[in-house]
Structure formats: C-alpha cells, structure tokens
Amino acid sequence: MEPLEIMAPCHFGLEAVVKREIYDLGYEITTVEDGRVTFLGDLEAVAYANIHIRCAERILIKIGQFEATTFDELFEGIKELPWEDFIPKDGKFWVTKATSVKSKLFSTSDIQSIVKKAMVSRLQKKYNIEWFDEDGREFPVRIFIMKDMVTVGLDTTGVPLHKRGYRKLTSDAPLSETIASALIKLTPWRKDRILVDPFCGSGTIPIEAAMMASNIAPGLHRTFTAERWQNLYQGDVWKDVRDEAKESVDTDVTTNIQGYDIDPGMIDIAMKNASLAGVDRLIHFQKRDVKDMSSSKKYGFIVTNPPYGERLLDSEELPALYTTLGNVYKSLDDWSMYVITSYEEANRYIGRKADKNRKIYNGMIKTYYYQYLGAKPPKRKKELN
C-alpha cells in the first residue's frame, strides 16, 4: 500500500505543538493548516499516533481532496474516491460530522446525506450488491469544506483523544486533557523542575504533567475505532504498539508536581482522577487558597487555568483574583508562570506584561496563553573523569 496521508485535527493555536509531536514520532509532515496537521505514514503509524499523540483531537486517514461548488460536484468527487480500499462489504459507514467554512455548500445535513449516497453508489458497483446490511465494523467519515475545497477523512479514533479514560469526575468548567498537555509542552518544563497549578480543579494539568514525567502514553489505557478493522490490520499491530508503550513507562521517576484548589471537593476529585491515571504517587494535591502559595525553591513553574468569568466566578471578582496571582508570582524566586484565560485584563492585574502571548481556542472560547518567563537555572557542570 502507498503511504497514507494521515490528518491530526487539533484546537486552533496548537498546530505547532502537534507538529512537534508528529516529528518526534519520526513521521514526515506534509502540511500544517489552521486546526490540522497532515503527515505521511502507514497503518502502524495510525496506531502510534492514536496511542502517543497528546495534543491532537483525533487521527484521520485522508481519503481524498477535491473542489466542489455544487452538490453534483460533491457527489461525483466522493464517488471517485477508493472507498473499497478501506470499507469492507459488511462495514457500517456514515458521515459523523461535516463542517463548512467560506464555501458555497454550507448545509451540513445535506452534505452528510450526499456523501453517504455517493459512498453507497461507489461501493454498490465495486461489491456488485444493491443493499448494505452494515452490520460489521464501524467506519465513521468526517468532511471538512474550506473555501470550496473538500477534504475527506476516515476517523480511526472514535471517542476523541482527550478522553484518556482517567477523568471520571470534573469541575464545572474543565480544561480538556489535550489543551492541558499542550500548555505544558509550550513551556520548557522538565520533570526535574517543580510545577504547580494553584487552580487545579479536577487535576488535569498536574495529571498530564505527571503522565509526561513518567512517560505514560495518553492512549495507553483506551481503545480506538481502527483497532477493530480486521480487513486492514493483520497480526497484532495495535497490541505491539501498546506493549512497546507499556515498556517505556517509569512511575518510579522523581518529580515535584503540585496541585492546589480552594475547594476540598475538587481536591478529592483530583486525587481520584490521578489514581485512575496511575500517577497519584507523583502529585501532591492540597486544599490551599492561591494567596497562600509559597515556595523556597527556585526556577519553578506555575501552569494554570484560573477562573475567567465565562462560567465561573462573577466578573467583578476577577481583578482581585488576578492581582493576588500576580503578587504570589512576584514573591517566587526566578519562577516562570503560564496562564490560560479569556480575561483580557489579566496582564493589567497580574502587574506585568507577558513576555509571550498565544491565542488558543478552548472550544468556542478565545483564550490567551500568557507566558511570564523567569530566569533559566545555571547549567550543571560536567563531572570530571
């Protein structure tokens, strides 16, 4: 089989992080677009990407791409694609989602219907049958139309990648696991440096940091739609990739990760989630108000998602909260602080202009990732032989 084009959709603003993850896995990247990174690989690469990538939302096999400004062109374009290379005679196939931006075709329900009909037409001819029982494995399809360019993807993931399986309980406004991982990856934090989240909620940022520190692959303890595609996968590809990931886990690692929250109920939830993730030994959770945060250690990191008025905390309380956060940060010795928030006055009340600022869309909410950079620790002297 020729190399597959594999797409990794992600939140807007996280493309560079996902690109680095794919590059680190050893795959050739072909395109980086808003909300999506595409790379070349084989069916084993699909397994590696699903199990190892922390910051993408799902992994899709790119079936094709073409221009369409009418439903007839959409039908014919879909019909030309080699669906029989992927979907068996008994496969269950449907368009699970269609999106259209700045395109002449904009009715997503009509797009889904036309695509399904075109797929049926193609497969009827290839399999020489009139009716599909669709009682076999699932092959969900996703359609993206941007400026009349149709991109067709076969979803190998199923339940989104941010569903690691450990977060059974959440706060009222939880940060997704994929965004939490990306926030950490956008810092120079390493497992030998202290990391504190003073608004930890259900514990997502500390847990994702601990999973990185102990090298636990994010998809290690969950399943994926493509695992059941016996028509494509021969042997134990998924088992082999997962076994390799298990061998790399090191939960005996020494690290200093802390999570605080003023709500004792959230601390209980965070501790339970950390236990389910297998990293409870690596994180110190404690009920503590942000104003009481302190540390005698140098060169630490604050990585946090404080309340910002969308769903939590009345907006009139935000100035005092961000002022307190700023004062705490000033009291720490050569620390760095990374804050994701939609609160546009954050810089003002923290009392310092961020050294860097990145826009990240958390769902439909435009947020800012303010980055306050502290001093770098001195390089360790090499030991003399």
Side-chain angles (χ1 to χ4, degrees):
M1 181 182 284
E2 291 289 319
L4 300 170
E5 281 194 277
I6 304 170
M7 303 185 295
C10 61
H11 287 276
F12 290 108
L14 302 184
E15 297 85 359
V17 185
V18 174
K19 177 183 176 182
R20 169 54 62 179
E21 287 195 278
I22 294 168
Y23 179 80
D24 288 344
L25 286 175
Y27 299 114
E28 179 185 348
I29 294 166
T30 56
T31 57
V32 179
E33 308 163 87
D34 287 346
R36 185 166 68 232
V37 180
T38 304
F39 62 101
L40 298 178
D42 54 12
L43 288 168
E44 184 183 61
V46 170
Y48 267 100
N50 272 298
I51 290 173
H52 285 281
I53 291 179
R54 298 183 187 277
C55 303
E57 286 303 304
R58 58 184 68 248
I59 302 298
L60 312 175
I61 296 174
K62 184 177 177 180
I63 305 299
Q65 189 173 55
F66 56 90
E67 187 175 358
T69 59
T70 68
F71 285 119
D72 285 343
E73 290 176 346
L74 177 65
F75 183 93
E76 293 302 324
I78 294 294
K79 190 177 176 181
E80 287 298 311
L81 299 178
W83 293 106
E84 66 279 2
D85 290 349
F86 301 93
I87 301 176
K89 191 182 297 186
D90 66 344
K92 179 181 179 180
F93 55 96
W94 75 102
V95 181
T96 182
K97 186 175 182 180
T99 59
S100 178
V101 179
K102 298 178 181 178
S103 301
K104 293 181 176 64
L105 300 178
F106 56 85
S107 170
T108 55
S109 59
D110 287 335
I111 291 167
Q112 289 173 294
S113 176
I114 294 295
V115 170
K116 172 74 175 189
K117 289 177 182 177
M119 292 174 67
V120 169
S121 179
R122 168 85 182 199
L123 292 174
Q124 281 176 331
K125 182 178 180 181
K126 292 296 178 178
Y127 291 130
N128 194 29
I129 57 176
E130 289 298 317
W131 178 260
F132 293 93
D133 290 326
E134 298 193 50
D135 55 0
R137 303 303 186 184
E138 296 182 346
F139 294 82
V141 174
R142 289 183 168 244
I143 304 293
F144 309 89
I145 307 180
M146 169 62 78
K147 296 181 179 178
D148 300 324
M149 186 61 63
V150 181
T151 303
V152 184
L154 188 62
D155 183 8
T156 72
T157 302
V159 176
L161 289 177
H162 72 260
K163 298 285 189 179
R164 316 286 206 223
Y166 68 76
R167 197 166 71 171
K168 304 300 183 183
L169 301 167
T170 66
S171 57
D172 289 337
L175 190 70
S176 80
E177 293 88 333
T178 47
I179 292 182
S181 285
L183 299 184
I184 299 165
K185 283 182 170 288
L186 285 167
T187 80
W189 176 77
R190 297 293 180 268
K191 59 188 176 184
D192 61 343
R193 307 271 294 276
I194 183 173
L195 183 148
V196 179
D197 180 359
F199 302 97
C200 73
S202 56
T204 309
I205 290 175
I207 291 171
E208 291 294 320
M211 290 177 69
M212 291 181 195
S214 54
N215 205 29
I216 298 176
L220 185 58
H221 299 299
R222 54 158 290 177
T223 59
F224 304 92
T225 295
E227 288 189 67
R228 298 181 286 276
W229 294 351
Q230 289 97 335
N231 60 310
L232 297 178
Y233 282 96
Q234 307 301 319
D236 298 321
V237 174
W238 285 87
K239 180 180 182 300
D240 292 344
V241 173
R242 190 171 275 112
D243 286 346
E244 181 184 312
K246 287 178 182 177
E247 291 174 4
S248 300
V249 173
D250 178 16
T251 53
D252 292 327
V253 65
T254 299
T255 189
N256 189 342
I257 300 169
Q258 302 178 27
Y260 307 142
D261 202 281
I262 196 171
D263 182 351
M266 292 314 305
I267 293 298
D268 288 341
I269 288 173
M271 293 174 68
K272 290 175 183 175
N273 288 338
S275 179
L276 289 170
V279 295
D280 47 313
R281 189 191 69 79
L282 302 178
I283 308 171
H284 172 68
F285 287 112
Q286 183 180 0
K287 177 188 175 299
R288 183 183 292 189
D289 195 307
V290 63
K291 67 181 175 60
D292 298 322
M293 178 184 164
S294 64
S295 177
S296 60
K297 297 182 181 295
K298 299 184 67 171
Y299 311 119
F301 287 79
I302 293 174
V303 183
T304 193
N305 172 40
Y308 41 81
E310 296 290 342
R311 283 167 288 182
L312 295 175
L313 204 68
D314 293 334
S315 57
E316 60 266 22
E317 298 179 56
L318 294 178
L321 184 144
Y322 282 85
T323 298
T324 300
L325 179 61
N327 290 335
V328 165
Y329 176 54
K330 290 173 190 174
S331 71
L332 299 170
D333 194 356
D334 288 327
W335 279 49
S336 298
M337 182 167 71
Y338 296 78
V339 180
I340 185 170
T341 179
S342 70
Y343 185 47
E344 297 187 359
E345 296 293 313
N347 261 326
R348 174 186 173 189
Y349 289 106
I350 287 173
R352 171 180 163 182
K353 183 180 179 181
D355 297 287
K356 294 182 180 180
N357 181 17
R358 176 188 290 263
K359 290 181 184 178
I360 297 173
Y361 280 82
N362 183 7
M364 298 303 294
I365 302 173
K366 181 172 71 173
T367 63
Y368 304 91
Y369 193 36
Y370 295 109
Q371 303 166 57
Y372 305 88
L373 308 182
K376 296 180 181 179
K379 292 184 179 180
R380 294 176 180 174
K381 294 181 180 180
K382 293 183 179 179
E383 293 184 4
L384 297 176
N385 292 329

